[in-house]
Amino acid sequence: MSDVLWELQPATAAKHQLYKRYLDAWWPIMLQPTQRGYLRPRVTYLDAFAGPGRYLGGEEGSPIFVLDRLLHHTAVERMQLRRDRVRLIFTENDRARFEHLSAELVARFGDLDALPVTVIVRHGDAARLTIPLLSEFGAWLHPILAVFDSWGNVNIPLSPVITSIARNQSSEVIVTFGPNWFSRREGEDPDQLDDVFGGREFWSPSDPSQDTDERWRNWLATYRAALRRAGFAHQLQFMVVPRTGQPLNLVFGTNHESGVEAIKDAMWKVDGSDGMRFLDPRVRGAVPIGQLDLFSSEGMVDPELLELVRQHLTDKPLTTLEELGKWLLLETARWRAMHAKGAVQHLHGEGQVVIEPSGRITKASTVRLLKGA
Ligand SMILES: C[S@@+](CC[C@H](N)C(=O)[O-])C[C@H]1O[C@@H](n2cnc3c(N)ncnc32)[C@H](O)[C@@H]1O
């Protein structure tokens, strides 16, 4: 690995596909006039761990493809790009990578001051720069999407950084965690975990008797709880699993159901043909079939979906189809309300649940887990 550029890892490539799809949806939602004709005066995208803008094999880094896709978006004519309206902020701590990124941006897009959007590239520590930069560029009180894509070598303090974004209107965060992130921190520097979770009382060391997966499950649940305390109504956790190589964990915080829908849409749109998939970290041992295609084989229901529905019914043995659908949407990594019916029908066919009244299944149908199922 060179000091400045490095090889694109399969998990990063998979994550990039997700970012592309999500941002393709996010920009027009934020920038087009609303149905009532309201035009948001400002929208800010922040990539706090921006990287050098390129990988060793020539692949584009996130700042390059994000800006490129915005400028060439199919809805660009309707998005009313203006420099005072649309701002992209990139921070990078490593001097050589920062310089590489600055040069890549100019080589690719020409004079940044001549672009129809404002692009800010700063050298420095994300944890320290995020709040001052968001203030300097007038981001508060308007939508912000902040991506914290570190290798796990740095923490973003829950307070004030994540908390301020969570409490800002229509704002979202995406935080990634590489393998071993939490276990490394725990041994080396518990103070950093205090920052990440907002205090020593909100986390406890891993149980050494647990296996790695179980520890991850607990850490991610702890981080989800931290995002909730920070003020995000919805927090999705999921694992990006490439065909080869290490998986990557990602947590998404939003205050809007539409944000949850949008990130799930992005997941389902990502082409699974290269073998990547998204998993819900709370599922133990389910082997997902195929890629992202739920009913890839006729009549088959994804084992992950079934396990999650069973888990929910174990906690809540009597529920309605509507409530189950809502839970799938808001609490699970990739499933949506529409998936509830197929799962329940499958469990019914296996004699694991009772659905009442019998006959046509509707939103109001109740679903009951049979004892011992
Ligand atoms: C995972 S890479 C980013 C990859 C990039 N977002 C992409 O998808 O192409 C993490 C980057 O964060 C940088 N970095 C590390 N510590 C940082 C800090 N405290 N503040 C800002 N950047 C940092 C590293 O130098 C590295 O370039």
Side-chain angles (χ1 to χ4, degrees):
M1 186 195 282
S2 103
D3 278 339
V4 183
L5 306 189
W6 62 91
E7 295 274 356
L8 179 71
Q9 297 302 315
T12 309
K15 178 186 68 186
H16 283 174
Q17 290 200 49
L18 179 71
Y19 287 177
K20 287 176 186 171
R21 302 287 175 194
Y22 186 61
L23 280 153
D24 285 352
W26 187 78
W27 288 119
I29 291 170
M30 292 302 163
L31 293 174
Q32 290 182 152
T34 63
Q35 276 182 344
R36 293 193 194 138
Y38 173 67
L39 200 61
R40 290 185 177 82
R42 179 154 305 142
V43 172
T44 304
Y45 170 79
L46 168 86
D47 186 351
F49 295 84
R54 197 156 294 279
Y55 290 83
L56 267 184
E59 302 88 346
E60 293 175 348
S62 54
I64 305 292
F65 69 69
V66 166
L67 180 56
D68 184 54
R69 291 173 84 92
L70 170 61
L71 297 176
H72 299 104
H73 199 289
T74 49
V76 73
E77 297 299 327
R78 298 190 295 278
M79 291 200 284
Q80 309 199 22
L81 303 184
R82 287 198 322 264
R83 292 183 63 80
D84 63 338
R85 191 167 179 245
V86 186
R87 291 175 170 170
L88 292 86
I89 304 177
F90 302 112
T91 59
E92 169 57 52
N93 204 23
D94 180 281
R95 165 68 68 183
R97 291 186 189 133
F98 159 76
E99 282 168 4
H100 197 279
L101 173 61
S102 306
E104 278 285 346
L105 284 164
V106 173
R108 177 63 181 271
F109 302 102
D111 178 7
L112 299 184
D113 291 338
L115 291 177
V117 298
T118 299
V119 177
I120 300 120
V121 194
R122 287 285 166 90
H123 172 231
D125 172 32
R128 209 171 38 79
L129 286 181
T130 293
I131 296 265
L133 280 175
L134 290 173
S135 301
E136 181 183 342
F137 290 96
W140 304 116
L141 304 179
H142 309 291
I144 298 170
L145 172 59
V147 179
F148 296 105
D149 180 22
S150 82
W151 279 315
N153 46 351
V154 179
N155 311 293
I156 292 300
L158 195 70
S159 177
V161 179
I162 304 289
T163 319
S164 306
I165 298 171
R167 294 177 188 171
N168 191 56
Q169 63 150 290
S170 302
S171 295
E172 297 178 335
V173 293
I174 297 177
V175 187
T176 61
F177 299 99
N180 303 328
W181 194 93
F182 290 112
S183 40
R184 275 207 315 269
R185 288 271 89 63
E186 183 184 6
E188 288 165 17
D189 192 352
D191 290 348
Q192 293 200 343
L193 288 181
D194 293 352
D195 268 0
V196 169
F197 295 121
R200 188 76 42 113
E201 65 274 37
F202 298 117
W203 66 276
S204 45
S206 308
D207 176 350
S209 68
Q210 287 177 339
D211 65 21
T212 319
D213 281 0
E214 200 60 32
R215 290 188 204 180
W216 258 107
R217 217 162 268 134
N218 290 335
W219 283 121
L220 287 174
T222 308
Y223 194 67
R224 274 191 84 201
L227 284 192
R228 197 173 313 127
R229 282 195 307 281
F232 282 113
H234 311 296
Q235 329 81 31
L236 289 187
Q237 51 178 359
F238 50 95
M239 214 185 259
V240 180
V241 187
R243 190 170 50 82
T244 57
Q246 294 271 24
L248 186 94
N249 286 283
L250 204 148
V251 185
F252 169 74
T254 181
N255 277 311
H256 297 277
E257 266 187 49
S258 55
V260 176
E261 296 265 16
I263 195 112
K264 290 196 175 186
D265 269 356
M267 281 187 213
W268 283 82
K269 274 188 191 139
V270 170
D271 178 16
S273 60
D274 61 359
M276 68 164 291
R277 56 190 199 259
F278 299 100
L279 284 187
D280 196 307
R282 87 191 81 194
V283 168
R284 293 170 178 82
V287 182
I289 49 168
Q291 316 299 334
L292 295 182
D293 183 6
L294 176 59
F295 299 105
S296 53
S297 322
E298 199 58 40
M300 293 274 283
V301 180
D302 194 305
E304 181 193 273
L305 171 63
L306 292 177
E307 181 173 338
L308 287 165
V309 169
R310 262 191 234 104
Q311 279 185 18
H312 186 57
L313 289 172
T314 306
D315 292 342
K316 215 169 170 217
L318 181 65
T319 188
T320 63
L321 191 72
E322 183 171 24
E323 189 276 334
L324 180 62
K326 194 103 179 150
W327 181 82
L328 283 175
L329 173 70
L330 297 178
E331 294 293 323
T332 70
R334 62 192 175 120
W335 303 103
R336 300 193 282 204
M338 66 175 186
H339 296 129
K341 191 169 170 183
V344 161
Q345 278 171 325
H346 183 95
L347 293 175
H348 184 246
E350 289 191 337
Q352 298 193 39
V353 298
V354 175
I355 304 173
E356 284 172 333
S358 58
R360 205 168 72 85
I361 301 177
T362 69
K363 283 197 296 196
S365 300
T366 61
V367 184
R368 186 161 48 87
L369 187 68
L370 284 171
K371 283 213 170 70

